[in-house]
Amino acid sequence: MKIAEQASERHVLNVIVDNEAGILAKISGLFTARGYNIDSLTVADISEDHAISRVTVVTNGPPPVIDQIRAQLERLVPVHKVIDLTEEGPHVERELALVKVAGTGDKRVEALRIAELFRAKVVDTTISSFVFELTGAPDKIASFIVLMRELGLVEVGRSGVVGMMRGPDRV
């Protein structure tokens, strides 16, 4: 079976890198040059001395392509480690979203009711709109957005996925 015919799988990759200028460009350039898609990309400093960062990349592809992405990431000079959370086992994924909804009357009441069910927090309000803050798994965020479309969705800002292995060990 050809690679193009194999089922595409979603993978969450944690890339531990030196916190230096240009590393994000190297990583995104690797994906761009080979035609791989990035569904989500987040970067944050993770060390006390600001020397190390964690880049979390969500991508899709058949298993051989994911293996190739991982191997190519591991060859980049400032990369210390590449962890495929999807392959490693139980992990936690979270995302933050800000969701602006405009509406009055029953739609406004319904937006507040649904927000409460999803444990979304109101971070801004006017007479005719709300901005909700919501954290959770990416599909929870997506479900909330779908429901808010019916009630006056105006704008969405999403942080992208961050992920970490479960359990006491450091990866």
Side-chain angles (χ1 to χ4, degrees), residues 79-149:
V79 171
H80 294 273
K81 187 187 308 186
V82 178
I83 303 115
D84 185 341
L85 296 178
T86 308
E87 292 288 323
E88 290 292 323
H91 63 280
V92 177
E93 292 178 34
R94 291 295 179 265
E95 186 174 3
L96 167 80
L98 295 176
V99 180
K100 186 187 292 184
V101 179
T104 57
D106 290 344
K107 286 192 174 192
R108 185 175 175 87
V109 172
E110 183 66 4
L112 279 172
R113 188 187 70 74
I114 291 171
E116 187 176 327
L117 290 172
F118 278 80
R119 295 188 180 123
K121 186 168 124 183
V122 177
V123 293
D124 184 64
T125 186
T126 68
I127 293 170
S128 60
S129 70
F130 291 109
V131 175
F132 296 107
E133 176 187 288
L134 179 66
T135 59
D139 34 342
K140 173 187 175 184
I141 305 273
S143 296
F144 183 77
I145 291 167
V146 166
L147 292 171
M148 289 299 139
R149 277 201 176 98

Side-chain angles (χ1 to χ4, degrees), residues 9-80:
E9 299 175 350
R10 178 182 178 272
H11 283 256
V12 180
L13 307 174
N14 270 346
V15 186
I16 309 303
V17 299
D18 287 337
N19 188 9
E20 62 182 43
I23 183 57
L24 187 57
K26 285 181 182 180
I27 291 172
S28 62
L30 181 148
F31 278 79
T32 302
R34 289 156 182 84
Y36 305 146
N37 192 38
I38 296 175
D39 296 331
S40 173
L41 177 66
T42 59
V43 183
D45 168 19
I46 61 169
S47 62
E48 195 172 326
D49 64 357
H50 309 292
I52 306 293
S53 289
R54 177 189 319 260
V55 179
T56 304
V57 181
V58 179
T59 190
N60 280 284
V65 169
I66 299 299
D67 291 343
Q68 188 176 29
I69 289 170
R70 186 173 176 174
Q72 290 170 349
L73 284 170
E74 287 170 341
R75 281 193 283 259
L76 291 178
V77 171
V79 171
H80 294 273

Side-chain angles (χ1 to χ4, degrees), residues 85 89-93 163-171:
L85 296 178
H91 63 280
V92 177
E93 292 178 34
M164 188 174 290
M165 295 301 300
R166 295 187 62 195
D169 298 328
R170 186 177 189 164
V171 197

